[in-house]
Amino acid sequence: MVKVGVIGLQGDVSEHIEAAKKALENLGVSGEVIWLKKPEQLEGVSAIIIPGGESTTISRLMVKNGLFEPVKKLGEEGLPIMGTCAGLIMLSKEIIGATPEQKFLELLDVKVNRNAYGRQVDSFEAPIKLAFSDEPVIGVFIRAPRIVELLSDKVKPIAWLGDRVVGVEQDNIIGLEFHPELTDDTRVHEYFLRKAL
């Protein structure tokens, strides 16, 4: 029985919950997807998703709710964690444009530029090439961060916009600039959730 926790402090939580449920169904796996707000809910979790939203707020609330340290520890111990948009920022080792009080999980050896794509009005959709599928997926970019550097050879590109890397994987951790939960295509969630099986 797979138990997926979507960190539900801010951002597009319900969309990730629906996408993860559908992905489990498509994989033929029985499981539950929970709205994760408190550290005690981490008991028995098989995978964690950190959604898009506002990274400063997510960071502050994860610390305040007592989720920050246990999630970091689980990630270090090999629990699958996927971060999209602000979730990518939360996972990254180096952040351009971060505020001094922000805390990051530092589980992914990448450098990201926090608001590289500008304001909400600069949001766009584009086809994304995936390392694990022949068909491209539609990537939704909303005030997205940009991966500007891979900091170690442990990091493997898994998604490209043209020739630019927009998604990476490092062992149990996946970080994406775009929002796979905002389309009906669950291939990215399926790929991630296979790590928990």
Side-chain angles (χ1 to χ4, degrees):
M1 172 83 165
V2 176
K3 181 179 173 187
V4 183
V6 180
I7 292 185
L9 302 172
Q10 195 256 341
D12 47 352
V13 184
S14 56
E15 292 88 340
H16 266 297
I17 289 174
E18 286 313 307
K21 280 181 179 169
K22 208 191 295 181
L24 286 173
E25 207 174 288
N26 291 345
L27 290 168
V29 174
S30 65
E32 62 171 335
V33 186
I34 64 162
W35 192 298
L36 183 57
K37 284 187 169 179
K38 303 189 204 79
E40 51 269 30
Q41 292 174 289
L42 290 166
E43 187 68 44
V45 154
S46 329
I48 292 171
I49 296 172
I50 307 174
E54 216 294 302
S55 62
T56 314
T57 307
I58 293 171
S59 170
R60 195 177 67 241
L61 292 174
M62 278 183 76
V63 171
K64 187 181 169 196
N65 286 29
L67 277 172
F68 188 91
E69 291 304 334
V71 167
K72 183 173 169 67
K73 188 168 182 290
L74 286 168
E76 287 166 348
E77 289 168 355
L79 188 89
I81 301 178
M82 179 168 75
T84 61
C85 197
L88 163 65
I89 298 170
M90 284 300 300
L91 290 170
S92 299
K93 278 261 163 75
E94 291 182 31
I95 293 91
I96 299 166
T99 54
E101 71 278 2
Q102 251 185 303
K103 281 183 75 172
F104 303 100
L105 297 164
E106 295 179 30
L107 295 167
L108 192 54
D109 295 344
V110 295
K111 182 193 279 190
V112 298
N113 187 348
R114 200 164 153 245
N115 274 339
Y117 288 98
R119 302 186 314 265
Q120 200 84 14
V121 292
D122 302 314
S123 301
F124 64 97
E125 290 184 13
I128 301 295
K129 185 171 161 287
L130 299 171
F132 49 87
S133 182
D134 294 335
E135 290 294 312
V137 68
I138 294 299
V140 180
F141 293 78
I142 304 172
R143 288 183 63 214
R146 181 174 280 198
I147 298 166
V148 292
E149 193 182 340
L150 310 185
L151 301 172
S152 82
D153 55 10
K154 289 188 281 189
V155 184
K156 305 281 181 267
I158 57 165
W160 295 263
L161 173 61
D163 57 2
R164 211 176 61 65
V165 175
V166 295
V168 292
E169 170 178 45
Q170 181 180 334
D171 301 322
N172 54 310
I173 308 293
I174 288 179
L176 307 168
E177 294 181 4
F178 58 97
H179 290 265
E181 76 286 359
L182 295 181
T183 71
D184 289 333
D185 194 322
T186 61
R187 278 175 293 159
V188 173
H189 284 79
E190 288 168 39
Y191 179 76
F192 168 65
L193 291 173
R194 281 192 191 98
K195 291 180 178 295
L197 304 179

